[in-house]
Amino acid sequence: MQTSPASFTAAWENSVDCLLRRARFTTLNAGGNKADVTEKTIPVTAETTRVGWIGTGVMGRSMCAHLLTAGYRICVHNRTPSKAGPLIDQGAEWADTPLDVAAVSDVIFTMLGFPHDVESVYLDGEHGLLAGSRHGSIVIDMTTSSPELARRLAEQAAERGVNCLDAPVSGGDIGAREAR
């Protein structure tokens, strides 16, 4: 069954909206301080949610393009800047480092090649994704990685008040391109 880019975007908005609500609940219960949590639920829409995307290779470029087509403001980074060119042409903003992406994003997706890439992007103290992530933001790693690394990222993210989700994807470049 093929899914349209519009239904892909709707499913994504619903999933992130649920995650944001859970993140607010978890923050409230863990910290116990209502002053740190906004009581107003902000819907996940192109108008209210700033997206970051790191990894614009074969799958990442197509997945990110679907969100751009849906009207999301997206800040991108890739080790090889030229691979982000088609997304920049489509309206994405370039960032020089993962830290720069995180600094301007509410939700950040990573779609990287290997676990060592994930570790480098997230944990580089000077330019890493977690170093630049704001309290309450959400980072979602879609790289096929190890459970140990996913747990370590989640622990280090939690120490910073960042919500971390390990969400490896399948379907290859065709699935990403066709939003299925």
Side-chain angles (χ1 to χ4, degrees):
M1 179 178 100
Q2 185 170 333
T3 306
S4 72
S7 62
F8 166 83
T9 303
W12 177 81
E13 288 174 350
N14 185 49
S15 297
V16 174
D17 190 49
C18 290
L19 185 58
L20 283 169
R21 289 177 191 194
R22 180 165 160 47
R24 285 191 179 95
F25 179 78
T26 302
T27 303
L28 177 62
N29 287 329
N33 185 351
K34 288 186 181 184
D36 293 340
V37 179
T38 181
E39 296 294 328
K40 181 180 175 188
T41 300
I42 300 170
V44 177
T45 67
E47 293 78 30
T48 62
T49 307
R50 177 70 189 225
V51 176
W53 199 284
I54 300 172
T56 59
V58 173
M59 290 177 67
R61 181 174 45 245
S62 292
M63 295 167 77
C64 182
H66 292 304
L67 296 175
L68 279 166
T69 299
Y72 281 85
R73 295 170 297 146
I74 300 181
C75 182
V76 298
H77 174 78
N78 197 72
R79 279 185 310 207
T80 308
S82 62
K83 289 188 177 183
L87 297 170
I88 302 295
D89 293 344
Q90 195 176 339
E93 174 185 322
W94 173 256
D96 290 328
T97 68
L99 182 140
D100 295 335
V101 171
V104 298
S105 302
D106 303 306
V107 179
I108 305 106
F109 290 93
T110 56
M111 187 71 189
L112 307 167
F114 299 99
H116 68 272
D117 299 323
V118 174
E119 190 168 12
S120 175
V121 163
Y122 277 77
L123 302 177
D124 176 348
E126 190 174 329
H127 301 289
L129 176 61
L130 290 181
S133 295
R134 296 186 311 266
H135 187 275
S137 62
I138 299 171
V139 295
I140 304 168
D141 180 35
M142 297 185 292
T143 310
T144 300
S145 193
S146 72
E148 295 80 18
L149 179 56
R151 280 191 289 276
R152 195 167 56 147
L153 293 177
E155 288 168 3
Q156 291 193 25
E159 289 173 8
R160 293 171 166 84
V162 174
N163 302 284
C164 184
L165 179 65
D166 183 42
V169 297
S170 63
D173 61 329
I174 295 170
R177 200 170 39 250
E178 295 179 0
R180 51 183 173 145

